[in-house]
Amino acid sequence: MVDRTAHQTCLIIGASHAGVNAAFALRKQGWKGNIKLFDREPELPYHRPPLSKVFLSGDTGVEDSLLKGISSYESENIDLQTGRSVTEILPKDKIVRLSDGETCSYDQLLLATGASPLMPPIPGLKSSHKIFGLRTAADARGIRNAFFASSGKRVVVIGGGYIGLEAAASLRKLGGRVTVLEREERVLARVTSPEMSAFFTRLHTDKGVSIATGRNVTAIEIKGSELEVFCGDGSRYAADMLIVGVGVVVNTALAQMAGLKISNGIAVNARMQTSDPDIYAIGDCTSFFHPRYKKEIRLESVQNAVDQAKVAAANICGIPTEYASLPWFWSDQFEVKLQMCGLASGYDRLVVRREEGDDPHQHSCWYFSGDKLLAVDAVNHARAYMLGMKLLKEGKHPAPEKLEDLSLALHPRTVLA
Amino acid sequence: MANITFITQAGKSLKLAADSGSVMELAVNNNVPGIDGDCGGVCSCATCHVHVAPEDWEKTGAPGDLEKDMLEFDDNVNEFSRLSCQISITEALDGITLKVAN
Ligand SMILES: Cc1cc2nc3c(=O)[nH]c(=O)nc-3n(C[C@H](O)[C@H](O)[C@H](O)COP(=O)(O)OP(=O)(O)OC[C@H]3O[C@@H](n4cnc5c(N)ncnc54)[C@H](O)[C@@H]3O)c2cc1C
Ligand code: FES
């Protein structure tokens, strides 16, 4: 099919989880024409999740976790251009402009521009050789260098979200004296239940990370080789370096200039099409109506980036496909692997199941709205996670009292209502 | 150097070789269809599922606990299932055949 594509160009802005997967999915779905893939970062596209995990604490570099080997781009005839930034989209002419002034025309355009760390307007807070966001390989390298260069190894992490906590765990493992400052009354407040927040607070505290909640950072001062962090409640923290993990700003500037509809991200329909039918958007930068949850959401996860990439590629190749995937996510901190599926928001009942095995961390949280299973958080418990995935995908609902019964093994046959 | 043969769902046979890294990385770097490796090899996604040829099972060995749990409820699981990100490439794997499960 799609011979019409033979002389066309699909141009992709952003070569990370979303953009790279889209490029390969386009070939798989039969796109015969050019595929151009631009990214402003200089590296070959790599996995981002390790940046706050093994990349910070271990000896591996991003070159050890590339999304695809360099030869795959050649063999699939994907024209990957790294270190190239797109500055403007001219949708009427179907042209994009690059920072060096060059222009490039397209037939179909795919925006996979992701998000960037939010640097809140706090006096003294701006990226420097001691103050970092954490999104790119360069950020992670900067953090490692600053950490090893500092004698005190005092790290303050602003923001107790997943990235902040992972970075805290990784640097603690290297012997850092790490403090996490969280504005809300609990870590992970925006993304999970009080029970999970309490679990991670305990885990970090036991490992020697200091977690201070209710700390609204109001100013940062540089004093000689030291940084001082001031909070609204009068507390202050001395540090050798600072990591800022308070959320992201979605990279919507290009889309906005091009006149595309923006809501909490670049607005797309179920086919990942923006308000311009020849421009698609995928991954962290999109805002979309999720049919499972019947509301408009934006997700920041590898799952969402990869699955939206596949949907967009199919549609661009003329195969009508709609996005309805079950969200899933993971986080690795110390010896704990958290795996999540579904979205818990709106739950009114929580079943916590603690196994009686050797691992004191192992447990799972099952979130319900009435009798309906919404989501599962599994800690060192892949079996609970995979069971949750299966049930959620099949739209089946386990009985809370059966989940609570430790004499019943976790299995679809035993837990269904 | 270990030579590893992948048989895709479409029945195509791909012979690849490497001396380090994981089997998932080898497959992803060479675009073996059906092995996506979305989580980057941390046993979180199950998109790298293979069936080891029965005669090679001794060479790859059985899955670890976490891996076994990740596979348990997979529709395509069988007694020779492995997540290929959890198989490190060494000389000992030379000559094995893996069928892509998805
Ligand atoms: C430290 C960290 C840990 C994470 N851990 C996990 C995890 O454990 N599990 C999980 O599921 N998810 C995790 N995530 C989230 C996951 O990495 C993101 O959801 C995913 O990267 C989104 O992919 P994307 O391609 O949509 O966007 P991004 O990865 O943000 O990629 C966007 C790309 O577009 C490029 N770009 C933007 N504008 C332009 C332009 N104008 N010109 C050229 N290029 C441009 C950028 O350089 C960038 O490479 C983590 C993220 C971070 C930062
Ligand atoms: S690559 Fe994700 S489980 Fe193997």
Side-chain angles (χ1 to χ4, degrees):
Chain A
M1 64 146 304
V2 282
D3 278 336
R4 67 173 173 87
T5 70
H7 304 291
Q8 296 195 354
T9 294
C10 182
L11 193 152
I12 305 173
I13 307 175
S16 180
H17 290 273
V20 167
N21 276 287
F24 284 85
L26 278 166
R27 283 287 179 244
K28 202 167 164 188
Q29 300 284 6
W31 182 265
K32 298 277 190 296
N34 297 323
I35 299 176
K36 291 193 175 198
L37 185 53
F38 290 100
D39 203 288
R40 60 188 175 200
E41 286 190 49
E43 290 86 3
L44 276 180
Y46 54 87
H47 285 272
R48 278 192 208 285
L51 293 179
S52 49
K53 305 179 182 81
V54 290
F55 185 82
L56 276 193
S57 61
D59 295 321
T60 57
V62 288
E63 60 283 359
D64 296 314
S65 54
L66 299 179
L67 287 172
K68 298 278 176 181
I70 184 151
S71 58
S72 331
Y73 297 92
E74 283 157 23
S75 64
E76 294 295 294
N77 195 13
I78 292 164
D79 179 9
L80 171 67
Q81 304 197 22
T82 54
R84 301 203 72 190
S85 186
V86 175
T87 51
E88 198 182 1
I89 303 166
L90 303 163
K92 283 207 190 73
D93 307 321
K94 292 192 144 190
I95 279 175
V96 305
R97 201 185 302 282
L98 297 152
S99 56
D100 54 14
E102 206 179 297
T103 57
C104 187
S105 65
Y106 66 83
D107 296 283
Q108 303 282 318
L109 180 65
L110 196 46
L111 301 176
T113 48
S116 303
L118 171 66
M119 287 290 174
I122 296 170
L125 185 69
K126 50 178 176 294
S127 296
S128 75
H129 62 297
K130 290 189 173 164
I131 304 181
F132 304 91
L134 178 45
R135 184 82 192 180
T136 64
D139 293 335
R141 277 193 294 263
I143 290 172
R144 270 181 76 86
N145 292 343
F147 182 80
F148 288 115
S150 83
S151 51
K153 310 239 176 301
R154 288 168 308 174
V155 183
V156 167
V157 178
I158 303 179
Y162 287 116
I163 292 177
L165 290 179
E166 287 179 352
S170 299
L171 295 178
R172 178 67 199 138
K173 279 199 238 170
L174 295 177
R177 292 146 69 192
V178 186
T179 304
V180 177
L181 302 179
E182 167 59 49
R183 186 178 59 185
E184 305 296 323
E185 288 310 315
R186 58 183 177 98
V187 296
L188 303 171
R190 280 180 310 157
V191 288
T192 191
S193 61
E195 285 76 6
M196 288 307 286
S197 297
F199 170 79
F200 279 104
T201 301
R202 210 160 48 241
L203 175 71
H204 279 259
T205 310
D206 286 350
K207 299 286 182 189
V209 173
S210 156
I211 294 204
T213 56
R215 295 298 194 282
N216 188 24
V217 174
T218 51
I220 287 143
E221 278 179 21
I222 301 175
K223 294 183 171 158
S225 65
E226 194 174 277
L227 298 163
E228 190 152 20
V229 183
F230 296 86
C231 299
D233 63 350
S235 57
R236 47 170 78 184
Y237 299 84
D240 300 303
M241 60 186 288
L242 217 62
I243 298 173
V244 185
V246 297
V248 297
V249 272
V250 186
N251 294 329
T252 54
L254 282 178
Q256 200 150 13
M257 277 197 302
L260 301 181
K261 187 173 169 233
I262 310 286
S263 47
N264 176 32
I266 304 170
V268 291
N269 63 18
R271 296 183 178 189
M272 302 297 117
Q273 219 164 15
T274 68
S275 52
D276 177 330
D278 291 326
I279 305 181
Y280 290 74
I282 52 176
D284 280 19
C285 67
T286 64
S287 171
F288 61 99
F289 181 86
H290 200 303
R292 260 178 189 277
Y293 305 104
K294 312 239 177 316
K295 64 177 177 194
E296 197 174 304
I297 59 173
R298 196 175 65 74
L299 292 171
E300 291 168 28
S301 71
V302 167
Q303 170 276 319
N304 183 62
V306 171
D307 289 345
Q308 289 195 339
K310 290 177 183 162
V311 169
N315 287 307
I316 290 172
C317 292
I319 305 157
T321 310
E322 299 198 343
Y323 182 76
S325 304
L326 178 69
W328 56 264
F329 187 78
W330 76 96
S331 175
D332 296 327
Q333 299 170 39
F334 297 110
E335 69 274 18
V336 162
K337 176 182 281 296
L338 168 66
Q339 293 174 290
M340 294 162 267
C341 51
L343 294 180
S345 96
Y347 74 96
D348 53 23
R349 178 166 187 186
L350 168 59
V351 175
V352 181
R353 180 181 162 112
R354 244 170 255 293
E355 307 297 333
E356 289 168 320
D358 301 334
D359 177 356
H361 298 311
Q362 189 179 54
H363 71 284
S364 51
C365 295
W366 301 73
Y367 300 89
F368 289 85
S369 167
D371 303 331
K372 226 176 113 199
L373 180 67
L374 295 179
V376 180
D377 289 346
V379 171
N380 288 357
H381 203 344
R383 188 182 171 95
Y385 167 70
M386 291 307 277
L387 178 60
M389 284 284 275
K390 187 175 171 71
L391 297 176
L392 288 167
K393 273 190 184 158
E394 294 172 359
K396 292 183 178 154
H397 302 289
E401 57 288 355
K402 292 189 177 167
L403 291 170
E404 274 163 349
D405 184 348
L406 292 182
S407 71
L408 298 175
L410 285 180
H411 194 281
R413 276 197 307 274
T414 56
V415 300
L416 285 182
Chain B
M1 193 59 84
N3 290 291
I4 296 175
T5 304
F6 293 86
I7 316 250
T8 69
Q9 282 283 306
K12 220 168 101 188
S13 155
L14 295 159
K15 238 191 190 75
L16 301 172
D19 49 24
S20 64
S22 74
V23 171
M24 178 278 285
E25 286 164 344
L26 174 67
V28 167
N29 286 339
N30 291 282
N31 255 330
V32 175
I35 299 190
D36 295 336
D38 287 342
C39 77
V42 296
C43 216
S44 289
C45 70
T47 63
C48 62
H49 184 180
V50 294
H51 296 147
V52 179
E55 61 275 20
D56 295 326
W57 186 244
E58 294 261 290
K59 288 188 182 168
T60 61
D65 287 344
L66 169 61
E67 187 186 340
K68 212 187 292 169
D69 283 344
M70 286 297 290
L71 286 164
E72 169 110 20
F73 304 122
D74 195 300
D75 290 336
N76 297 321
V77 72
N78 73 18
E79 71 219 86
F80 301 110
S81 282
R82 289 291 314 259
L83 291 176
S84 60
C85 67
Q86 303 300 308
I87 310 175
S88 300
I89 297 181
T90 63
E91 290 280 340
L93 293 190
D94 190 37
I96 65 168
T97 298
L98 305 170
K99 193 156 187 295
V100 179
N102 294 297

